[in-house]
Amino acid sequence: MNTTIITGTSRGIGLELVRQYLNVGKHVVASHRPGSISAELAAMSATHPELSLLPLDLACDQSIAKFSHALHSHSIELLINNAGTTNHVEYGQWTRRHFLDSYTTNAAGPALLIQALDQQLCEAAKIVQLSSGLASLHENINPTGAFEEYAMSKVALNMLTRRLAMKLAGRNIIVSAISPGWVQTEMGGPDAPTSAEAVSQQILQSINKLSIQHNGTFLEADLTPIAW
Ligand SMILES: NC(=O)c1ccc[n+]([C@@H]2O[C@H](COP(=O)([O-])OP(=O)(O)OC[C@H]3O[C@@H](n4cnc5c(N)ncnc54)[C@H](OP(=O)(O)O)[C@@H]3O)[C@@H](O)[C@H]2O)c1
């Protein structure tokens, strides 16, 4: 049986992606941070036997190892690295810890998770990294805003995407970075123009259309290319 894995699903875009993938009949493994299963995720799990919940903290090597071990018999057709974090620290308040926290979860975490799950990835599997327009060096969006630690970590995630795309190409695995745009979630805040539900529907449709031409690319949710 083929499995779809989505990280960071207790809320926001991750929670909505789980709902969308269940709606189309997929077997989903949804990760939540240890000890933090939201009421919405728990309710979905209670009514969907095809949904499995597993703890995962991307900042913890042991947690990644346990997660991968629990999935040793799975065949992964889709891995969505959705989990992400931001500290939103203003210039003048920066600390090394803030930069490292974002890097650990947003860049090193997905890298180590993919490596840990490598043997379970099917031929022609898809790996989707939830990146951000703020990672575009070309666009350099809102440079006066407090997004440095976050934007820098997502640039690293983009580089991971590009490099892994080449490493895994021999197995026809597609690795793409998708920016959801500005979305109403705890991270995006209430003023964002798009709901998590709408963008998750769009991302699902776009992932269905991903082909080898999208390998190693940086895309909007509708698959429009974003300049690195
Ligand atoms: N919302 C936007 O406007 C926007 C824009 C561009 C890109 N994105 C990206 O889209 C993705 C989803 O964003 P969102 O808006 O849904 O964010 P969110 O509401 O803040 O949710 C983030 C999720 O990631 C999980 N998470 C954080 N740190 C983690 C860790 N160390 N290990 C495992 N899980 C962890 C959180 O778990 P807890 O619930 O336990 O904290 C939560 O479930 C992120 O990668 C984000 O960078 C969002």
Side-chain angles (χ1 to χ4, degrees):
M1 178 212 318
N2 287 346
T3 305
T4 292
I5 297 188
I6 306 171
T7 65
T9 64
S10 59
R11 55 189 159 94
I13 297 169
L15 181 68
E16 284 305 322
L17 283 169
V18 173
R19 204 187 308 278
Q20 300 305 326
Y21 276 93
L22 290 174
N23 283 347
V24 295
K26 293 293 182 184
H27 287 260
V28 177
V29 173
S31 88
H32 57 86
R33 271 199 278 194
S36 91
I37 301 181
S38 65
E40 292 100 315
L41 187 59
M44 249 190 252
S45 153
T47 50
H48 288 89
E50 67 281 29
L51 170 63
S52 309
L53 306 185
L54 272 184
L56 173 67
D57 180 354
L58 285 166
C60 170
D61 290 352
Q62 212 183 6
S63 178
I64 291 174
K66 269 191 185 170
F67 185 78
S68 155
H69 184 71
L71 294 172
H72 73 276
S73 61
H74 287 244
S75 240
I76 301 168
E77 62 178 0
L78 171 62
L79 166 61
I80 306 181
N81 277 315
N82 164 78
T85 191
T86 178
N87 286 303
H88 210 77
V89 193
E90 298 285 348
Y91 179 57
Q93 306 298 315
W94 293 348
T95 66
R96 185 175 302 277
R97 191 74 261 150
H98 291 129
F99 285 97
L100 292 180
D101 280 352
S102 291
Y103 186 84
T104 292
T105 292
N106 297 347
L112 295 171
L113 181 65
I114 293 165
Q115 177 179 262
L117 295 174
D118 180 85
Q119 292 307 302
Q120 291 99 298
L121 292 169
C122 299
E123 166 89 17
K126 294 176 180 175
I127 299 175
V128 172
Q129 325 268 37
L130 265 281
S131 184
S132 166
L134 287 165
S136 169
L137 302 176
H138 179 81
E139 299 292 337
N140 195 20
I141 295 167
N142 197 358
T144 57
F147 299 110
E148 283 72 25
E149 38 71 37
Y150 176 73
M152 289 164 66
S153 70
K154 293 290 187 178
V155 171
L157 179 69
N158 282 357
M159 189 74 225
L160 172 72
T161 303
R162 226 160 145 60
R163 294 185 67 87
L164 272 179
M166 296 305 118
K167 273 198 206 323
L168 304 179
R171 292 153 66 188
N172 297 317
I173 292 174
I174 297 168
V175 193
S176 302
I178 293 184
S179 164
W182 187 20
V183 185
Q184 289 152 21
T185 63
E186 204 167 305
M187 186 184 287
D191 297 332
T194 315
S195 70
E197 183 184 1
V199 81
S200 301
Q201 281 170 358
Q202 188 176 36
I203 288 173
L204 181 147
Q205 285 163 12
S206 291
I207 290 175
N208 285 342
K209 291 183 202 154
L210 283 181
S211 67
I212 207 70
Q213 83 196 53
H214 300 107
N215 195 27
T217 55
F218 181 25
L219 306 162
E220 306 275 9
D222 66 359
L223 299 186
T224 304
I226 303 176
W228 298 103

Tab-separated table of all heavy atoms in Angstrom, residues 1 5 13 15 23 39 171 178 207 210 215 227:
chain	number	residue	atom	x	y	z
A	1	MET	N	0.842	-1.195	0.000
A	1	MET	CA	0.000	0.000	0.000
A	1	MET	C	0.888	1.260	0.000
A	1	MET	O	1.859	1.320	0.749
A	1	MET	CB	-0.859	-0.020	1.267
A	1	MET	CG	-1.737	1.166	1.441
A	1	MET	SD	-1.948	1.540	3.193
A	1	MET	CE	-2.180	-0.051	3.931
A	5	ILE	N	2.929	11.069	3.139
A	5	ILE	CA	3.388	11.568	4.440
A	5	ILE	C	3.351	13.088	4.443
A	5	ILE	O	3.846	13.728	3.503
A	5	ILE	CB	4.823	11.085	4.733
A	5	ILE	CG1	4.788	9.568	4.805
A	5	ILE	CG2	5.363	11.703	6.018
A	5	ILE	CD1	6.032	8.928	5.253
A	13	ILE	N	-1.687	24.886	7.213
A	13	ILE	CA	-1.713	24.261	5.881
A	13	ILE	C	-1.578	22.743	6.002
A	13	ILE	O	-2.241	21.989	5.276
A	13	ILE	CB	-0.582	24.859	5.006
A	13	ILE	CG1	-0.812	26.365	4.797
A	13	ILE	CG2	-0.499	24.138	3.664
A	13	ILE	CD1	0.365	27.104	4.171
A	15	LEU	N	-2.614	20.684	8.369
A	15	LEU	CA	-3.901	20.085	8.763
A	15	LEU	C	-4.841	20.021	7.554
A	15	LEU	O	-5.502	18.998	7.315
A	15	LEU	CB	-4.528	20.925	9.889
A	15	LEU	CG	-5.859	20.434	10.437
A	15	LEU	CD1	-5.700	19.120	11.197
A	15	LEU	CD2	-6.475	21.496	11.366
A	23	ASN	N	-9.702	13.199	1.585
A	23	ASN	CA	-10.868	13.365	0.701
A	23	ASN	C	-10.712	12.635	-0.624
A	23	ASN	O	-11.697	12.233	-1.227
A	23	ASN	CB	-11.123	14.856	0.388
A	23	ASN	CG	-11.794	15.560	1.547
A	23	ASN	OD1	-12.279	14.904	2.470
A	23	ASN	ND2	-11.820	16.883	1.515
A	39	ALA	N	-7.001	19.192	18.580
A	39	ALA	CA	-8.330	18.573	18.632
A	39	ALA	C	-8.812	18.239	17.217
A	39	ALA	O	-9.420	17.189	16.985
A	39	ALA	CB	-9.308	19.519	19.323
A	171	ARG	N	16.202	7.521	-9.773
A	171	ARG	CA	15.038	6.726	-9.328
A	171	ARG	C	13.731	7.388	-9.779
A	171	ARG	O	12.651	7.039	-9.289
A	171	ARG	CB	15.075	6.579	-7.805
A	171	ARG	CG	16.250	5.701	-7.348
A	171	ARG	CD	16.717	6.031	-5.942
A	171	ARG	NE	15.709	5.716	-4.952
A	171	ARG	CZ	15.797	6.046	-3.654
A	171	ARG	NH1	16.870	6.691	-3.217
A	171	ARG	NH2	14.834	5.737	-2.834
A	178	ILE	N	7.608	24.298	-3.263
A	178	ILE	CA	6.386	25.042	-3.598
A	178	ILE	C	6.138	26.090	-2.523
A	178	ILE	O	6.135	25.783	-1.325
A	178	ILE	CB	5.175	24.093	-3.726
A	178	ILE	CG1	5.343	23.182	-4.942
A	178	ILE	CG2	3.873	24.887	-3.824
A	178	ILE	CD1	4.166	22.260	-5.238
A	207	ILE	N	0.386	19.132	-7.163
A	207	ILE	CA	1.243	17.962	-6.932
A	207	ILE	C	0.857	16.841	-7.892
A	207	ILE	O	1.714	16.144	-8.446
A	207	ILE	CB	1.176	17.517	-5.450
A	207	ILE	CG1	1.880	18.549	-4.562
A	207	ILE	CG2	1.812	16.132	-5.271
A	207	ILE	CD1	1.780	18.292	-3.063
A	210	LEU	N	2.669	17.364	-11.056
A	210	LEU	CA	4.141	17.435	-11.084
A	210	LEU	C	4.705	16.333	-11.963
A	210	LEU	O	4.330	15.167	-11.818
A	210	LEU	CB	4.719	17.259	-9.676
A	210	LEU	CG	4.665	18.434	-8.701
A	210	LEU	CD1	5.305	18.031	-7.380
A	210	LEU	CD2	5.297	19.680	-9.280
A	215	ASN	N	11.213	18.781	-11.738
A	215	ASN	CA	12.218	18.313	-10.786
A	215	ASN	C	13.248	19.416	-10.521
A	215	ASN	O	13.804	20.002	-11.454
A	215	ASN	CB	12.926	17.067	-11.355
A	215	ASN	CG	13.703	16.322	-10.295
A	215	ASN	OD1	13.361	16.381	-9.116
A	215	ASN	ND2	14.756	15.630	-10.703
A	227	ALA	N	11.498	32.832	-9.601
A	227	ALA	CA	12.949	33.046	-9.826
A	227	ALA	C	13.671	32.779	-8.512
A	227	ALA	O	13.256	33.266	-7.458
A	227	ALA	CB	13.193	34.472	-10.286
